[in-house]
Amino acid sequence: MIELLRQLARTPQGAAGLLILLLLAAACAFGPAIAPYGPEHIDFLGRFHPPGARHWFGADQLGRDVLSRLLTGARSTVPTALAATLAGTLLGAVIGTASAYLGGRWDEIIMRTIDAVMAIPGLLLALLVVNTLGKGEMNAAIAIAAAFAPGMARITRSVALVARRQDYVGAAIARGERGTWIVFREMLPNVVAPIVVETTIRVAFAVMLFATLSFLGLGAQPPASDWGLMVADARPFLHQAPWMIVAPGAAIALTAIGFNLLGDGLRDVLNPRDER
Amino acid sequence: MSARWFARRCLFIGYTLLVVSLLVFAITQALPADAAVTLLGENATPAALAALRLKLGLNDPVWLQYWHWLSALLRGDFGISMRTGQPVGPMMFSALARSLLVAGLALALMLAVAVPLGLVAALRRGGPLDLAAGLISYLGVSLPEFVTGTVLLLLLADHLHWLPATGYVPLLRNPLDSLRHLVLPVLTVSLVMVAHVSRMVRSEMIDVLHSDYVRAARLKGLPARTVLFRHALRNALLPVITVVALDVGYLLGGIIVVEEIFAIPGIGRELIVAIEMRDLPAIQAGALIMAGTYAVANFLADIAYALLDRRIRYD
């Protein structure tokens, strides 16, 4: 693990990604403590205060400090996206592995059904699920997990099928290795790498999807300082206070870029054959 | 392309729509909404509600309701909107036409930008243009549509006054004004795809330029231009077709957001309104039509692939 991090820090993408994510982790851990104001601290005299010494990122329509709201909102946005991605990956991995293991007709039926479900755009599926369960952060996370599961199932299946056919697995069988040894020492390390890379990049999508759901009014609910919700709240004040949109928008983009960079760095480290 | 492959592919589209219809029906059944209450309002008498439930068949078992809905669908009847009282099918299809205008323009713009960008990035690998293209693509895949859309609106419409901010003008009524209104939404949805596809073109192009047949073509003494466009680019673009078809899924999702931001009366906006108003027939029709569009786009991509690459025979 330490070795992996060291290698990762040596690739330019990995180092940049790690740096951004460290900052984010710090914001999640200490955000409310280091925020200069309370996230709900209303100051009517300081409404629409432009960015400056008093409010680094400006103030919103109620005079609330945008930076403080961003720092507090990190706790709602980032962990939710992480949890949703992990749940979706797990669900997809179970379906994909089962499909590859069963093989034959069952594999065909499961995969065709997965393909069919993927015909529904991810955002639409998430919208439908979140509406059935009701608005809110938790339900938005479940919706994102549901939207990710089919894609992850497809990837897991194809990776598992390839790993089973590799020569080194055949060689291990010929050496007379035990079944568990083959699965855990020969197959699993080679299956995990592509899934880890894909999952990392998916977290970026999850952050954006969660923010989009909040933006459409279905994720986090006011007065939470979720980043997508902050953009939605700021839209009527586009003219007076553009910083109200730029700051949370940049925070979402930075988070997504961090996870994308980390994913690309991981790909380089875990799969040295690929020169691209 | 054999007739058998064609039949199988059509069968798959049918299966896709069946699975989607089941899923969408199940979800709309689970929605916390009572169609009778939606139609008559909260203050309706219990007797009136009961009569309407009987008339709508809401007391039937779920599978029977699904069957009634599906058999009506097969006759081309998508049901009546609970919100407007109009047939849902024509409403959704005319909304789809407006959305497809946005989607088609976005696809065209994306290809016009992404292919040259990827090509140049591959030829000048590691150069400043390649790095710039890489940076743009990182930004493109990391910015959700609602942020890009709002920032573009802020810059181009609000600040510089180059373009109208929101609204929709039918293409046939005033083509120029219509296109002016479409610039911002089209820019917004194509950015993600430009990022995605230009990376794909770049990496495919790098692979192809190292292949034996490109080397052979060079050694034969063919002009560099011929090698580049006739041999390399043609083959590099083949896998891109599949990626573009898969990207239609993102495109349709992005269109939902963009139509909401720029107030375009397309299928995405209709769907959001339907979801908010608990208009079950409209939700069902809209989701089904979107999934059908995606399935057909992928079908067309497979055909295009086969036509362009003679080595591929679907049977």
Side-chain angles (χ1 to χ4, degrees), chain A residues 112-113 115-116 119 121 123 128 131-132 205 208 211-212 215 231 235 238-239 242 245 252-253 256-257 260-261 264 276, chain B residues 15-16 20 27 30-31 138 141-144 146 150 153-154 158 203 207 249-250 253 257 261 275 278 283 291 294:
Chain A
R112 289 290 86 80
T113 309
D115 284 348
L123 177 62
L128 290 173
N131 255 283
T132 313
F205 278 110
M208 301 198 296
T212 305
F215 175 76
V231 176
R235 272 179 71 204
L238 197 65
H239 309 262
I245 282 182
I252 294 165
I257 288 177
N260 273 320
L261 284 169
D264 281 358
R276 278 172 277 160
Chain B
Y15 182 67
T16 301
V20 171
I27 289 176
L31 272 177
Y138 262 115
V141 294
S142 305
L143 281 165
F146 73 92
T150 323
L153 192 114
L154 185 68
D158 203 61
S203 74
D207 272 4
Y250 286 112
V257 177
I261 295 178
I275 287 175
R278 299 258 184 264
I283 299 175
Y294 177 82

